[in-house]
Amino acid sequence: MDELLLPAQRLFGAAWPTVWTLAKIIAITVPLILCVAYLTLVERKVIGWMQVRIGPNRVGPLGLLQPFADVFKLIFKEIVVPTGASRTLFFVAPVLSIGPALAAWAVIPFDDGLVLANVNAGLLYILAMTSVGVYGVILAGWASNSKYAFLGCLRSAAQIVSYEIAMGFALVGVLMAASSLNISDIVRNQSGGLSHWYIWPLFPLFVVYLVSGIAETNRHPFDVAEGESEIVAGFHVEYSGVAFAVFFLAEYMNMILISALASIMFLGGWLSPWPTIPDGLPWLLLKMCAVLFIFLWIRATFPRYRYDQIMRLGWKVFIPITLVWIVFLGAMMQTRWAYLFH
Amino acid sequence: MTAQTVIFYAFAAILVFAALRVITSRNPVHSALWLVLSFFSSAGVWMLLHAEFLAIALVLVYVGAVMVLFLFVVMMLDVNFDKMREGFRGYIPVGATVGLLILVEMALVLIGGYLPAGATPSPGQTGPGYSNTSALGRQIYTDYAFPFEIAAVILLVAIIAAIALTHRTRRETKYQNPNEQVKVSRADRLRIIDMPLEKKE
């Protein structure tokens, strides 16, 4: 591989590291955007099948070109800026929501050594980036100068701040088990087959993480921020065309990110379930698909939560569960059963 | 000038500009957003000092949580600037005195630790295996365990005090108890009645 790159390295000279990093970023981003495009199709198909419908089947064979039709439709639509909107912030908001969603992928390891930035504090970086994503939603709601958008943004801000705590505590359990903040190390510590994955010793934390992840991404059944039946479309009600598409992209990208993180932290990332089968990227993708399917499954199954129930679940159920499990984990690590929790 | 110096000056310039905009912008929401930008830039400066844990914690805590709540409150306020500017001149002498005192105090503290340019110790080269986070953790939980615990207790007291100050039971508000709502069974809500068939007249 290195020999193959030598001519390119000579061509760019001192700028080579920058060019090479850019190439890596593009190699992550482009497949990601394609994944988002097809996730929207899969979502509609899966929910369609669950509700005994067919789903989109008109554009291309089996409806496979539907995402592109949607994209072209959105690109050619006019972007309407509401009267009295705060113009700059109105356009900054979608950028702020997609920026962190993309930036978090920098530390996601796809295979052993296949990671853009192998930083030591990777887990913290992920937490920081996902917590910044809320600004897009808040600003969109405020800058739109619309009641519905504002209500949506307030709900979303409260919800994200509440569930972030439970999510952070769930990851504290992971870092206790792995005794590392480096995401690649966390995966390597789970090697040795299915029984070594952290989903078993940390099962309550896995459930909390997954549900908080759904709440963080404002997905059904926690989508009061969008709540079609109450506040039209919530924070992005005033957005149209490409600006709306960017919000959409950010939401789905966050979904994929949460599924990737759940696979990495609890399901062994790129590791295969049996030590005899070789590890690799396909395993990670398979696990991500399974988690994403759970997201869609939940969306097709459950009714929307009431706002006070969301708050109760976050503060009175999840945070106590995670706290108790962290203390239990710490206590067990001092006993002779500690090997079960590493 | 190395690339690091260029990056430092870029972050520092953004930081100073954003901090100025925090106090000069007319809209409180804009001020809060400029403050977010200045937190971000100072996190960048800390990152250049190899203090990765502090930098990320700054983003995580201040940008991700504190400022969100700040914005949350500020967005809902209807601030009347004309009213706030009333009597601005009258407060100038007091404000200027307090500002000057703070400046002198800070100068007294900082001058002792100030080193001429070039004499500032650089963070030094650290190996690839060095983890700023674990080094900091070891310091906090071994050498400074006691002060750290005291700080934690003070924070706990502050939390309890804040809740005690704002929490009050309102009699007129009706609460729902989700526990009871979840536990509800068919027998509580549904009554099946036997009705005799009626003949059509």
Side-chain angles (χ1 to χ4, degrees):
Chain A
M1 182 72 183
D2 286 340
E3 291 83 48
L4 280 173
L5 288 170
L6 270 179
Q9 214 164 342
R10 243 175 256 131
L11 182 69
F12 287 107
W16 173 245
T18 319
V19 173
W20 183 225
T21 312
L22 268 179
K24 285 188 205 162
I25 291 172
I26 291 169
I28 293 175
T29 315
V30 172
L32 197 61
I33 289 174
L34 280 177
C35 282
V36 169
Y38 276 96
L39 183 57
T40 61
L41 180 68
V42 169
E43 173 169 36
R44 282 189 277 176
K45 280 277 188 192
V46 167
I47 293 176
W49 291 329
M50 284 183 180
Q51 297 167 346
V52 206
R53 293 185 284 117
I54 296 171
N57 68 340
R58 293 287 138 175
V59 191
L62 300 169
L64 279 176
L65 296 178
Q66 182 69 43
F68 296 100
D70 293 338
V71 168
F72 284 121
K73 185 194 97 176
L74 286 171
I75 286 176
F76 289 114
K77 267 188 150 182
E78 185 190 356
I79 299 180
V80 184
V81 183
T83 355
S86 179
R87 230 189 131 79
T88 325
L89 290 182
F90 188 77
F91 288 112
V92 165
V95 179
L96 271 183
S97 77
I98 199 161
L102 276 171
W105 284 90
V107 294
I108 300 286
F110 296 97
D111 200 344
D112 206 352
L114 194 66
V115 51
L116 181 63
N118 190 10
V119 288
N120 273 329
L123 196 61
L124 273 175
Y125 173 83
I126 289 274
L127 276 174
M129 280 303 135
T130 47
S131 70
V132 170
V134 64
Y135 280 100
V137 176
I138 296 184
L139 283 187
W142 185 78
S144 298
N145 192 30
S146 148
K147 281 177 201 139
Y148 292 134
F150 192 57
L151 280 173
C153 98
L154 289 182
R155 288 178 177 192
S156 166
Q159 181 181 324
I160 292 181
V161 168
S162 316
Y163 278 85
E164 219 170 66
I165 304 171
M167 208 169 176
F169 278 142
L171 294 184
V172 166
V174 173
L175 94 89
M176 279 169 77
S179 53
S180 172
L181 280 171
N182 185 314
I183 298 181
S184 299
D185 284 345
I186 290 175
V187 177
R188 273 184 220 115
N189 279 334
Q190 300 178 61
S191 59
L194 190 66
S195 58
H196 288 72
W197 294 355
Y198 287 151
I199 182 172
W200 309 120
L202 305 177
F203 189 72
L205 299 184
F206 173 68
V207 175
V208 169
Y209 181 80
L210 208 60
V211 179
S212 309
I214 298 171
E216 282 274 289
T217 46
N218 283 331
R219 291 285 304 174
H220 215 87
F222 298 96
D223 61 344
V224 287
E226 291 173 31
E228 289 88 347
S229 54
E230 306 148 26
I231 48 173
V232 195
F235 63 92
H236 58 56
V237 65
E238 302 291 350
Y239 283 84
S240 56
V242 182
F244 169 74
V246 171
F247 273 121
F248 210 68
L249 206 61
E251 181 184 326
Y252 279 79
M253 225 172 253
N254 275 326
M255 249 169 91
I256 302 178
L257 180 72
I258 295 286
S259 69
L261 284 173
S263 324
I264 284 168
M265 307 288 174
F266 298 99
L267 302 172
W270 67 77
L271 300 170
S272 69
W274 290 276
T276 44
I277 308 172
D279 307 326
L281 179 62
W283 286 113
L284 179 64
L285 296 181
L286 200 71
K287 289 164 188 172
M288 281 166 63
C289 287
V291 178
L292 281 173
F293 180 75
I294 295 178
F295 270 57
L296 305 183
W297 190 7
I298 289 175
R299 176 169 174 191
T301 315
F302 289 110
R304 184 179 292 136
Y305 260 112
R306 215 171 52 205
Y307 184 73
D308 63 312
Q309 288 173 332
I310 290 182
M311 285 299 146
R312 172 180 165 269
L313 185 71
W315 290 99
K316 292 190 177 169
V317 181
F318 280 177
I319 294 178
I321 288 178
T322 48
L323 282 176
V324 166
W325 203 257
I326 286 171
V327 173
F328 173 73
L329 209 60
M332 286 309 276
M333 280 175 176
Q334 306 304 320
T335 64
R336 61 198 164 92
W337 296 288
Y339 68 93
L340 289 172
F341 294 91
H342 276 293
Chain B
M1 231 169 28
T2 60
Q4 255 192 358
T5 327
V6 175
I7 294 170
F8 168 77
Y9 277 112
F11 274 125
I14 296 172
L15 174 57
V16 172
F17 177 71
L20 274 177
R21 291 297 289 152
V22 173
I23 50 171
T24 52
S25 77
R26 300 177 67 94
N27 190 324
V29 173
H30 292 182
S31 291
L33 290 171
W34 283 113
L35 191 56
V36 169
L37 181 61
S38 57
F39 278 140
F40 239 104
S41 329
S42 43
V45 172
W46 284 1
M47 201 69 114
L48 285 177
L49 291 170
H50 299 269
E52 56 189 32
F53 178 79
L54 287 178
I56 296 176
L58 181 71
V59 173
L60 184 63
V61 176
Y62 282 89
V63 176
V66 173
M67 286 315 291
V68 172
L69 296 176
F70 237 85
L71 262 181
F72 199 94
V73 175
V74 164
M75 280 193 309
M76 287 195 280
L77 295 178
D78 189 18
V79 184
N80 189 345
F81 274 96
D82 291 331
K83 219 167 194 173
M84 275 176 70
R85 269 162 226 268
E86 264 174 31
F88 179 69
R89 282 174 195 281
Y91 286 119
I92 281 185
V94 185
T97 322
V98 172
L100 209 69
L101 271 177
I102 293 176
L103 192 73
V104 170
E105 281 178 356
M106 274 173 70
L108 282 177
V109 173
L110 291 175
I111 279 174
Y114 184 77
L115 297 164
T120 319
S122 91
Q125 283 304 311
T126 47
Y130 173 80
S131 167
N132 171 255
T133 315
S134 61
L136 205 67
R138 202 155 288 141
Q139 285 272 308
I140 285 177
Y141 289 106
T142 53
D143 297 351
Y144 297 98
F146 199 53
F148 182 73
E149 293 296 328
I150 291 174
V153 170
I154 292 172
L155 276 175
L156 185 67
V157 169
I159 293 172
I160 294 170
I163 293 172
L165 280 175
T166 52
H167 186 79
R168 57 197 160 135
T169 29
R170 292 187 197 164
R171 277 164 203 280
E172 72 270 23
T173 316
K174 285 179 180 145
Y175 290 104
Q176 289 157 328
N177 185 352
N179 282 327
E180 280 172 15
Q181 290 178 328
V182 170
K183 273 185 211 140
V184 91
S185 69
R186 197 181 79 153
D188 303 331
R189 296 281 164 89
L190 185 75
R191 193 159 51 95
I192 297 175
I193 311 168
D194 241 352
M195 278 178 82
L197 270 177
E198 280 177 38
K199 275 232 171 84
K200 204 171 167 188
E201 300 294 319

